[in-house]
């Protein structure tokens, strides 16, 4: 990690709080009875979560809770409370320091609704997968109930739901721009990203007698300010990225209010800086960037896209500046991202005494998310890929934070020795990306100064270290452990990085693939891929060639399973048709498909809302890009991915005729779909009409979230003469 970034105190260097004398709890208590058994008269911190409580480092509340416990604090958990009243929120009593509130490991809206805004039938983070155990916009609802239960207790919100709503953001489910969640939740403070540093500092400062209103300027937090602090200058965001139509030249020496503020709204104390050169030389470290106000961006998609571009330019903790955004009469101050954890700190977090099982109150109930991750190991966090549809960078950061090899091995041994369900198989060694372990910029100074949104697009940065040797060494050591039969790699693989290390691909294919390997080209068409910031299909072909070669050398029959996204901004009907033809040509049949879901704060969501390519400077006269917004078009794009499903054929026949591609309708191998409709599948005009009504309008049909494929093994990679 860059020396310039290593300025924060070590996570475990704080003097422990006096309550450390109570020792380590077997599990964090969820009831007064459990508190009594531990000898506690009160909790110092109470964490409220929309998930079932699993005492495992893959679950955010368990990780934060155990970390605070290691600092000496008594931490209680309120899991999936009944939000109809404040009763459940008072069941552990009044916390001495604060409530910590999160919607859970998933955004509560993404958790509950499909990309077509239909209610999901299950919740993987709830015992037995039961749906309906958390409210919409859980962070807001839980915060209000905490305030109702104990009016004077500070409320701190965090987790991915709060993290991605820290500024004014487009909300797909209401189709409007909403305020920062800090206002809607009426919380005192918001922590974003992986919040270890922020939460530990906050807890100790509150324990030392500071008021929550005094906790300003902590990296990775968002709070209110009444006025710009003394000594700070304000830079208008339009000086960084000028939006809108061409503007009349402005006197560069004139001090004026920010672009979105009326003169009467201006703060007389704000000094607006016009020149970046002066900023860099003298005042950059004491300068805040003023974004257009909420009242402006909620009605102006172009200024919303502009604010998004500026915000994404301030995500590198080595050079990010604070942001400020006016919401009515209140000013929201967004501090720069937190400093990434060192390897030693990462090890400390993952080595905490987790019980690694669900809380006993769930009995024999199955929590699907736990079943999926109980035998997996998180080896790193962060992602420098910069995919526009993904919010990992905005949440976890783009600087890779890796654990030591020894720490990872200790966790594998703990799984082997303590998990009653362990059969010798580790389901995954990974993280947000399988093969970014210990990858970083070659030069810390360049890393600290860089503002590029991706280290691998449009090509791999020459300053990026792509050496997979540490990961290969880890794989070999892990699978050599006694009692370990097989280690699978299930996290998403960056195959554009993998092809830079043939030795890694060989190691992966020979030892860590269970017949199928999932990778994510996301699309085949260059125009769409450029909006996603994903590599072209030439890189996929290179990887597939290596994959097939090493599979054959290992004497294994193995297949690649590619993931694709339908209806992404920039995607036309023709793009989806070409993708369908590629799928047929290569013998892929998707069982379930995924349509683009505009998650808050992502770059692609700004495209979706504005209709512009926000990877470029946005102006009102800039060319619009294709935005598949209507349910009919989104259904069609998903139907192209499932071209083989007879239920989709009526919709596809109609579309192909309208596109002038009736030549693809026929009963030969060269056709995409047949002219006939199999008996029992919409064979009558009435059934076809009902189908068209159902699949092109608003209905209650549920869509699968995951993507999986069946493969025609005889066709994959063959029949090159067919579409």
């Amino acid at each position: 990690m860059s020396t310039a970034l290593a300025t924060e105190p070590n996570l475990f260097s704080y003097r422990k709080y006096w309550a450390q004398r109570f020792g380590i709890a077997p599990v964090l208590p969820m009831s007064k009875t459990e508190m009594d058994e531990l000898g506690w008269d009160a909790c110092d911190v109470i964490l409220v979560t929309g998930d079932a409580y699993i005492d495992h480092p893959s679950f955010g509340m368990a990780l934060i809770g155990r970390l605070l416990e290691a600092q000496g604090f008594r931490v209680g958990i309120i899991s999936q409370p009944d939000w109809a009243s404040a009763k459940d929120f008072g069941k552990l009593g009044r916390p001495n320091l604060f409530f910590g509130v999160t919607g859970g490991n998933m955004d509560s809206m993404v958790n509950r609704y499909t990309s077509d805004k239909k209610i999901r039938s299950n919740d993987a983070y709830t015992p037995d997968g039961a749906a309906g155990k958390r409210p919409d916009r859980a962070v807001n609802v839980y915060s209000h109930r905490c305030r109702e239960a104990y009016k004077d207790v500070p409320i701190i919100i965090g987790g991915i739901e709060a993290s991605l709503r820290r500024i004014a953001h487009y909300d797909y489910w209401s189709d409007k721009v909403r305020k920062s969640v800090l206002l809607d939740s009426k919380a005192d403070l918001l922590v974003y990203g992986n919040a270890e540093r922020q939460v530990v500092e906050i807890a100790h400062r509150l324990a030392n007698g500071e008021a929550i209103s005094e906790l300003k300027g902590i990296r990775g937090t968002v709070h209110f300010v009444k006025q710009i602090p003394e000594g700070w200058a304000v830079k208008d965001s339009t000086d960084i990225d000028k939006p809108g139509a061409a503007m009349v030249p402005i006197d560069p020496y004139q001090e004026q209010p920010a672009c979105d503020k009326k003169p009467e709204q201006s703060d007389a104390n704000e000094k607006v800086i016009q020149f970046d050169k002066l900023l860099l030389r003298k005042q950059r470290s004491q300068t805040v960037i003023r974004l257009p106000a909420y009242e402006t961006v909620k009605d102006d998609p172009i200024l919303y896209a502009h604010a998004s571009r500026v915000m994404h330019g301030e995500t590198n903790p080595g050079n990010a500046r604070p942001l400020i955004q006016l919401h009515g009469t209140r000013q929201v101050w967004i501090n720069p991202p937190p400093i990434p954890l060192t390897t030693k700190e990462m090890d400390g977090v993952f080595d905490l005494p987790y019980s690694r099982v669900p809380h006993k109150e769930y009995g024999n109930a199955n929590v699907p998310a736990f079943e999926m991750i109980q035998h997996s190991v998180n080896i790193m966090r962060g992602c420098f890929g910069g995919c526009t549809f993904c919010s990992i960078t905005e949440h976890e950061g783009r600087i890779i934070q890796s654990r030591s090899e020894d720490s990872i091995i200790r966790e594998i041994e703990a799984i082997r020795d303590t998990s009653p369900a362990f059969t010798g198989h580790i389901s995954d060694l990974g993280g947000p990306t399988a093969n970014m372990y210990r990858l970083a910029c070659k030069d810390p100074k360049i890393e600290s100064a860089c503002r590029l949104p991706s280290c691998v697009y449009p090509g791999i940065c020459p300053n990026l270290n792509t050496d997979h040797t540490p990961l290969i060494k880890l794989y070999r050591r892990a699978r050599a452990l006694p009692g370990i039969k097989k280690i699978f790699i299930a996290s998403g693989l960056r195959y554009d990085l993998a092809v830079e290390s043939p030795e890694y691909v060989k190691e992966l294919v020979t030892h860590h693939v269970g017949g199928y390997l999932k990778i994510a080209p996301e699309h085949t068409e260059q125009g769409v891929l450029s909006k996603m910031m994903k590599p072209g299909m030439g890189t996929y072909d290179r990887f597939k060639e290596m994959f097939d070669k090493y599979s054959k050398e290992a004497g294994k029959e193995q297949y690649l399973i590619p993931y694709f996204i339908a209806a992404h901004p920039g995607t036309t009907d023709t793009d989806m048709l070409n993708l369908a033809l590629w799928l047929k040509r290569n013998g892929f049949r998707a069982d379930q498909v995924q349509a683009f879901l505009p998650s808050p704060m992502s770059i692609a969501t700004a495209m979706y809302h504005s209709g512009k390519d926000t990877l470029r400077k946005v102006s009102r006269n800039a060319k619009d890009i294709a935005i598949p917004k209507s349910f009919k078009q989104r259904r069609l794009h998903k139907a192209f991915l499932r071209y083989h499903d007879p239920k989709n054929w009526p919709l596809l026949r109609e579309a192909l005729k309208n596109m002038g591609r009736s030549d693809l309708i026929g009963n030969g191998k060269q056709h995409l779909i047949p002219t006939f409709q199999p008996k029992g599948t919409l064979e009558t005009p009435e059934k076809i009409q009902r189908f068209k009504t159902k699949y092109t309008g608003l209905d209650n049909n549920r869509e699968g979230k995951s993507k999986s494929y069946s493969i025609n093994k005889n066709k994959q990679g063959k029949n090159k003469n067919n579409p």
Side-chain angles (χ1 to χ4, degrees):
M1 187 177 69
S2 168
T3 303
L5 297 183
T7 58
E8 297 287 307
N10 182 282
L11 200 58
F12 297 94
S13 64
Y14 292 86
R15 181 179 180 181
K16 290 189 177 184
Y17 190 56
W18 68 265
Q20 66 168 315
R21 67 186 65 174
F22 290 99
I24 301 299
V27 292
L28 302 179
M30 295 221 302
S31 68
K32 277 280 193 178
T33 300
E34 290 177 279
M35 290 171 58
D36 291 340
E37 291 172 354
L38 295 169
W40 298 4
D41 61 346
C43 291
D44 300 309
V45 178
I46 295 177
L47 303 178
V48 182
T49 176
D51 292 340
Y53 170 36
I54 314 292
D55 195 35
H56 188 286
S58 291
F59 291 80
M61 281 298 95
L63 186 150
I64 292 295
R66 286 298 191 183
L67 177 61
L68 286 172
E69 179 186 58
Q71 304 289 326
F73 300 103
R74 295 167 293 178
V75 183
I77 299 279
I78 298 178
S79 167
Q80 298 188 318
D82 178 0
W83 66 90
S85 72
K87 182 179 178 181
D88 267 8
F89 296 81
K91 66 181 182 180
L92 298 184
R94 182 187 186 279
N96 294 329
L97 298 179
F98 65 88
F99 277 110
V101 174
T102 177
N105 267 24
M106 282 183 68
D107 182 287
S108 63
M109 299 301 287
V110 177
N111 180 284
R112 192 172 183 213
Y113 297 93
T114 71
S115 60
D116 284 344
K117 302 183 182 180
K118 308 301 183 296
I119 296 177
R120 298 189 192 276
S121 59
N122 54 57
D123 181 343
Y125 292 88
T126 299
D128 290 329
K133 293 295 185 180
R134 76 186 81 212
D136 289 356
R137 312 188 197 286
V139 167
N140 292 346
V141 177
Y142 291 163
S143 296
H144 295 164
R145 289 293 184 239
C146 287
R147 186 71 73 200
E148 186 179 340
Y150 297 101
K151 186 175 181 180
D152 59 333
V153 174
I155 297 172
I156 300 169
I157 58 175
I160 195 163
E161 182 170 335
S163 186
L164 300 184
R165 290 169 167 77
R166 56 188 182 262
I167 64 171
H169 57 280
Y170 174 74
D171 182 79
Y172 172 63
W173 298 272
S174 60
D175 192 26
K176 66 180 184 181
V177 175
R178 293 177 65 95
K179 298 175 182 176
S180 164
V181 70
L182 187 61
L183 284 99
D184 284 344
S185 67
K186 296 181 171 58
D188 297 287
L189 196 63
L190 182 155
V191 295
Y192 68 87
N194 293 109
E196 292 95 343
R197 289 201 190 282
Q198 306 95 293
V199 170
V200 168
E201 180 177 348
I202 289 165
H204 281 291
R205 289 176 64 176
L206 289 176
N208 287 334
E210 292 189 58
I212 189 73
S213 59
E214 297 176 290
L215 304 186
K216 310 293 187 186
I218 300 173
R219 280 179 168 269
T221 66
V222 181
H223 52 77
F224 298 111
V225 293
K226 293 182 179 179
Q227 61 183 21
I228 304 300
E230 185 178 350
W232 283 79
V234 180
K235 185 170 181 64
D236 190 354
S237 63
T238 56
D239 289 339
I240 299 170
D241 186 83
K242 193 174 294 295
M247 301 177 70
V248 177
I250 299 173
D251 179 358
Y253 299 98
Q254 178 182 350
E255 292 185 4
Q256 59 181 10
C259 63
D260 59 297
K261 296 175 66 178
K262 297 178 182 179
E264 61 270 20
Q265 292 178 309
S266 300
D267 187 336
N269 295 323
E270 288 187 9
K271 182 180 180 182
V272 180
I273 291 184
Q274 302 290 334
F275 282 125
D276 261 334
K277 289 182 179 178
L278 292 175
L279 200 62
L280 287 169
R281 291 174 186 171
K282 296 181 179 179
Q283 302 187 62
R284 194 177 190 287
S285 63
Q286 289 292 107
T287 298
V288 60
I289 299 173
R290 178 171 289 287
L291 298 175
Y294 161 73
E295 286 74 18
T296 301
V297 299
K298 76 181 180 68
D299 296 322
D300 191 332
I302 298 301
L303 279 178
Y304 176 86
H306 156 74
S308 173
R309 283 176 51 82
V310 173
M311 186 276 299
H312 280 91
E314 304 297 328
T315 57
N316 182 347
N319 58 35
R321 293 162 285 190
L323 307 172
I324 192 169
Q325 188 174 50
L326 193 68
H327 287 64
T329 59
R330 309 194 75 178
Q331 302 199 74
V332 176
W333 182 286
I334 303 99
N335 288 297
I339 300 298
L341 298 188
T342 64
T343 294
K344 184 177 180 180
E345 290 173 317
M346 283 280 284
D347 288 355
V349 168
F350 282 88
D351 288 346
L352 293 169
Y354 307 97
S355 68
R356 307 187 67 85
V357 294
H359 191 275
K360 61 184 179 182
E361 84 164 24
Y362 306 128
N364 295 322
N366 168 53
V367 182
F370 171 68
E371 295 300 316
M372 182 178 68
I373 60 86
Q374 64 173 322
H375 299 145
S376 69
V377 179
N378 194 329
I379 65 174
M380 47 75 67
R381 65 168 59 149
C383 181
F384 50 69
C387 301
T388 62
F389 52 82
C390 179
S391 300
I392 290 175
T393 300
E394 284 69 51
H395 183 60
E396 294 195 2
R398 69 175 185 175
I399 295 176
I400 303 303
Q401 302 161 72
S402 300
R403 297 169 63 184
S404 72
E405 187 179 292
D406 287 344
S407 175
I408 295 165
I409 294 300
R410 284 196 297 272
E411 184 170 356
I412 296 174
E413 291 174 332
I415 293 171
R416 178 197 63 192
D417 298 339
T418 62
S419 174
F422 187 63
T423 60
H425 296 82
I426 296 295
S427 59
D428 187 30
L429 285 183
T433 305
N435 59 322
M436 287 187 182
Y437 180 68
R438 293 197 181 179
L439 300 190
C441 189
K442 296 175 182 177
D443 188 334
K445 291 182 179 179
I446 293 176
E447 178 185 79
S448 293
C450 183
R451 288 186 175 277
L452 294 177
S454 172
C455 299
V456 291
Y457 184 86
I460 296 175
C461 177
N463 295 309
L464 180 67
N465 168 29
T466 60
D467 183 10
H468 284 57
T469 301
L471 191 54
I472 295 170
K473 185 171 177 285
L474 172 63
Y475 287 177
R476 291 173 178 172
R477 183 178 172 189
R479 69 172 183 265
L481 289 172
I484 302 301
K485 298 176 183 177
K486 183 80 173 182
I487 294 177
F488 298 98
I489 304 304
S491 297
L493 184 79
R494 283 299 302 213
Y495 56 84
D496 49 349
L497 286 172
V499 295
E500 298 295 311
S501 177
E503 184 183 6
Y504 171 75
V505 178
K506 183 176 182 178
E507 190 79 15
L508 175 74
V509 171
T510 304
H511 300 286
H512 300 285
V513 175
Y516 301 97
L517 179 67
K518 299 174 183 178
I519 58 174
E522 307 296 6
H523 216 283
T524 57
E525 304 308 290
Q526 192 56 46
V528 183
L529 291 170
S530 69
K531 306 299 184 297
M532 296 176 168
M533 292 210 302
K534 292 285 289 186
M537 290 302 288
T539 308
Y540 168 87
D541 293 336
R542 285 177 60 202
F543 180 77
K544 183 180 184 304
E545 182 180 349
M546 296 171 71
F547 180 89
D548 291 343
K549 173 187 174 183
Y550 294 127
S551 292
K552 184 176 180 181
E553 288 181 3
K556 296 183 177 182
E557 186 177 6
Q558 301 182 142
Y559 298 92
L560 289 178
I561 305 297
Y563 280 1
F564 297 97
I565 294 179
H568 189 277
T571 308
T572 64
D573 295 352
T574 300
D575 291 327
M576 291 308 301
L577 169 59
N578 290 337
L579 173 51
L581 294 174
W582 185 93
L583 288 170
K584 183 170 192 257
R585 185 164 60 243
N586 288 276
F588 290 114
R589 295 187 173 190
D591 291 335
Q592 294 176 311
V593 300
Q594 177 172 294
F596 169 70
L597 193 159
S599 59
M601 260 180 67
S602 74
I603 295 173
T605 297
M607 294 184 190
Y608 179 91
H609 181 53
S610 67
K612 308 292 185 181
D613 180 1
T614 60
L615 292 174
R616 304 174 182 274
K617 287 204 172 188
V618 179
S619 65
R620 300 183 195 283
N621 56 6
K623 182 180 178 181
D624 291 338
I625 62 173
I627 306 292
K629 280 192 175 183
S630 72
F631 278 92
K632 180 175 182 179
Q633 190 176 23
R634 289 170 68 84
R635 293 284 190 189
L636 174 61
H637 284 201
K638 289 164 65 179
F640 273 122
L641 284 179
R642 285 183 49 79
Y643 66 90
H644 56 280
D645 187 345
K647 291 181 180 179
N648 290 328
W649 291 349
L651 186 61
L652 291 174
R653 287 191 198 102
E654 180 183 13
L656 289 173
K657 290 174 183 177
N658 292 338
M659 295 167 69
R661 293 305 309 270
S662 297
D663 59 300
L664 293 174
I665 305 172
N667 304 322
K669 290 184 177 180
Q670 72 275 22
H671 298 113
L672 181 64
I673 57 173
T675 56
F676 65 90
Q677 195 69 30
K679 186 173 178 58
T681 58
L682 313 171
E683 71 274 11
T684 67
E686 292 77 14
K687 285 187 178 181
I688 292 173
Q689 184 55 50
R690 284 200 300 271
F691 169 84
K692 290 171 66 176
T693 300
K694 179 179 180 181
Y695 279 84
T696 60
L698 296 171
D699 59 71
N700 293 321
N701 183 61
R702 294 187 176 94
E703 165 202 53
K705 177 192 168 194
S706 62
K707 299 173 285 183
S708 59
Y709 285 80
S710 61
I711 301 178
N712 183 329
K713 296 181 180 179
N714 295 322
K715 287 186 177 182
Q716 188 188 16
K718 299 181 180 180
N719 297 332
K720 296 296 184 182
N721 294 325
N722 294 333

